[in-house]
Amino acid sequence: MNEQTLWASRAWLPGGWRESVLLEIDGLGRWQKVQPDTPLPEGVAPLAGPVLPGLVNAHSHAFQRAFAGLAERRETQDDDFWSWRDRMYRVAGAIDPAMLRAIAAQLYGELLRGGYTQVCEFHYVQHQPEGRPYPERHAMIQALVEAAAEVGIGLTVLPVLYERAGFALPELRPDQARFHLGAEDVWAAATAVQQQRHARLSAGVAIHSLRAARAESIHRLQALAEGFDGPIHIHVAEQPAEVRDCLAATGLRPVEWLAQQGLLDARWQLVHATHVNRAEILAVAHCGSTAVICPSTEANLGDGLTDLPAWLRAGVPLAIGSDSQVTRAWREELRWLDYGQRLSLKSRNVCAAPEAGQPATAERLWQSALDGGASAAGEASWGIHPGARADLLVVDLGDASLAGIPPGRLLDALVFSSPGRPWRDVMVAGDWVVREHQQRGAAERLGHFESVMQRLWAGSE
Ligand code: ZN
């Protein structure tokens, strides 16, 4: 890759907006020099609008893109997370590597257009439907790797430890057979990805949940990952029922259990840290772990609301995930994150902190999501500053949702004025992957995705 020099009239640097920013990219696709208050150099064309860093999508199950919009009818007396999950398994049980590749490529293109430049894939559909490994053992992971490479998004693959159906159910159900991965298998899969590692590909490990993994396996995985700098993700407390089951099985709530076992550190990413109490939030803050919230999915599944003001007060970074893919844009996730709190607390701007010099809700949530996202992807450095990967979003000030907005209110309008199509250009690791709202190969990807959808849903009304 060639070194490049860019210049932006405004850019979101650590600490907030700065003017007249010179940006130099090295031959490896990382920021080499970031210098505000610098006049436009001769021979350099200014970027078409203000720029933001790309955001990490901290929690994704790519295959669930094939299910978005298809679980919105109630056919029985009760409909909750668990009935949704049984229907979701219909897709999980039907896809093969080629289908996953087509679904993921469509999704990843949409995520780039939604302002994400890296996606953490919490990946548990590993084997053939009846549970036998594919002849090419990591065929499903490879499908994700190829899909991400095709569209140019960064990918953190998280193979998932998954070995039982519940605290008191030592085996998997037949419809979960293809998810089975023990601690050694997870480590082998993560290592295989690490061997291909490059600027846009990395690996971490994951534990499906405390209900789906034995304590000794979690400790075994932690021991294997000793000295590993990749992230460790877990679905932690999405449902009140799993908190109750954890209490019944261990005497502790999930986050309490993880802390008491001495497992938590800065590598741990607590996905759906929804049903947690204040003491658990303080324990997470003490350990330096991150909370990963997936607002649109948690709303769609009726999970409940986390105590967002308490997380923010405790200074825990809050990463954002698209999870079940009902929404593929971070602006909408941040808006939902905040609106849930406003509705529940019957107040406005509850996530702002004027007393700490942070009166802008969107800016505070955005900065938290940037910091949390970096941890979720295992990136030591993220954002527009030297050493971080050269990712950026160029804002289209011609978009009607931003017309006439004063420059200092841009993030407020990006989050709280919708709809809009604000990302004119998107860069990942020094490459333009969206140019003037266009992506190479988008029409072809959509065609492949549509034919997979027709196969999956043939015969449905
Ligand atoms: Zn999930």
Side-chain angles (χ1 to χ4, degrees):
M1 185 186 293
N2 294 327
E3 295 179 9
Q4 300 175 60
T5 300
L6 310 172
W7 185 90
S9 58
R10 282 172 77 75
W12 182 272
L13 306 188
W17 290 112
R18 297 295 302 266
E19 311 274 334
S20 304
V21 184
L22 179 75
L23 301 159
E24 287 181 8
I25 302 171
D26 69 16
L28 300 171
R30 294 198 165 257
W31 300 118
Q32 181 166 264
K33 186 173 180 187
V34 175
Q35 193 173 293
D37 308 318
T38 304
L40 177 66
E42 217 168 294
V44 174
L47 292 167
V51 301
L52 293 170
L55 192 68
V56 173
N57 177 355
H59 190 67
S60 162
H61 306 287
F63 76 91
Q64 293 184 19
R65 173 66 184 85
F67 192 50
L70 290 166
E72 309 309 325
R73 294 178 178 205
R74 183 158 63 80
E75 281 143 3
T76 53
Q77 190 63 26
D78 297 312
D79 192 3
D80 61 9
F81 171 85
W82 307 101
S83 51
W84 170 86
R85 189 188 67 162
D86 286 344
R87 279 179 278 159
M88 180 268 283
Y89 281 0
R90 175 172 162 185
V91 179
I95 55 169
D96 63 22
M99 293 163 89
L100 180 60
R101 191 188 188 293
I103 296 165
Q106 174 62 25
L107 169 70
Y108 293 164
E110 292 172 342
L111 294 178
L112 282 172
R113 290 200 298 278
Y116 296 111
T117 56
Q118 177 84 16
V119 56
C120 300
E121 192 63 37
F122 196 105
H123 173 67
Y124 58 82
V125 185
Q126 312 286 0
H127 308 306
Q128 300 183 60
E130 80 292 353
R132 253 183 320 130
Y134 283 102
E136 192 191 322
R137 203 171 175 87
H138 300 133
M140 293 297 255
I141 288 177
Q142 205 51 37
L144 298 169
V145 169
E146 287 170 14
E150 181 184 327
V151 302
I153 198 168
L155 174 68
T156 304
V157 180
L158 305 162
V160 176
L161 175 65
Y162 204 144
E163 52 189 2
R164 64 182 184 185
F167 284 101
L169 300 165
E171 303 295 327
L172 290 171
R173 300 181 351 185
D175 59 0
Q176 297 171 321
R178 69 184 313 193
F179 309 157
H180 187 273
L181 225 50
E184 310 282 340
D185 306 320
V186 170
W187 186 242
T191 306
V193 175
Q194 282 297 83
Q195 281 164 357
Q196 309 177 52
R197 186 173 185 158
H198 53 73
R200 300 179 202 211
L201 179 65
S202 60
V205 296
I207 296 145
H208 182 274
S209 53
L210 294 184
R211 72 173 186 276
R214 288 192 297 271
E216 51 273 32
S217 305
I218 296 170
H219 280 287
R220 176 71 187 136
L221 185 56
Q222 174 92 343
L224 288 165
E226 183 74 46
F228 173 57
D229 63 354
I232 303 173
H233 289 233
I234 182 169
H235 288 141
V236 76
E238 182 168 12
Q239 288 291 317
E242 68 182 324
V243 176
R244 280 197 301 275
D245 289 353
C246 188
L247 271 165
T250 69
L252 296 169
R253 302 165 62 83
V255 175
E256 280 176 341
W257 186 86
L258 290 167
Q260 188 251 18
Q261 296 282 310
L263 288 162
L264 296 182
D265 61 27
R267 294 179 300 167
W268 281 73
Q269 313 298 313
L270 306 177
V271 182
H272 304 303
T274 306
H275 300 286
V276 294
N277 61 30
R278 297 271 168 104
E280 289 177 293
I281 289 173
L282 293 177
V284 174
H286 178 74
C287 297
S289 308
T290 296
V292 181
I293 311 295
C294 308
S296 65
T297 294
E298 290 162 10
N300 186 281
L301 298 181
D303 286 344
L305 290 168
T306 196
D307 188 349
L308 190 57
W311 285 113
L312 290 167
R313 266 198 310 279
V316 175
L318 296 163
I320 294 296
S322 66
D323 193 4
S324 71
Q325 327 297 355
V326 286
T327 292
R328 279 91 66 190
W330 64 253
R331 296 160 56 232
E332 197 170 338
E333 298 294 352
L334 288 187
R335 190 181 325 123
W336 266 103
L337 181 65
D338 187 66
Y339 279 175
Q341 302 295 316
R342 295 188 193 203
L343 286 162
S344 143
L345 300 170
K346 301 184 182 65
S347 184
R348 302 192 70 250
N349 287 308
V350 292
C351 297
E355 68 285 358
Q358 295 178 303
T361 296
E363 290 186 1
R364 190 168 187 225
L365 294 177
W366 159 250
Q367 188 59 53
S368 184
L370 274 179
D371 297 342
S375 299
E379 290 279 341
S381 179
W382 190 264
I384 304 177
H385 58 92
R389 197 174 70 193
D391 289 16
L392 55 77
L393 313 172
V394 179
V395 178
D396 186 349
L397 289 178
D399 191 89
S401 66
L402 304 175
I405 296 289
R409 301 299 177 97
L410 190 56
L411 258 167
D412 306 33
L414 282 167
V415 174
F416 292 109
S417 176
S418 71
R421 199 175 63 133
W423 314 128
R424 181 187 188 276
D425 310 294
V426 179
M427 173 179 274
V428 181
D431 283 335
W432 292 111
V433 293
V434 176
R435 266 303 211 187
E436 296 181 44
H437 299 282
Q438 303 300 314
Q439 286 175 302
R440 249 196 325 251
E444 202 183 353
R445 280 192 293 279
L446 183 59
H448 288 154
F449 173 69
E450 204 172 354
S451 64
V452 167
M453 290 294 280
Q454 282 158 357
R455 276 173 68 192
L456 280 171
W457 301 106
S460 301
E461 280 177 44

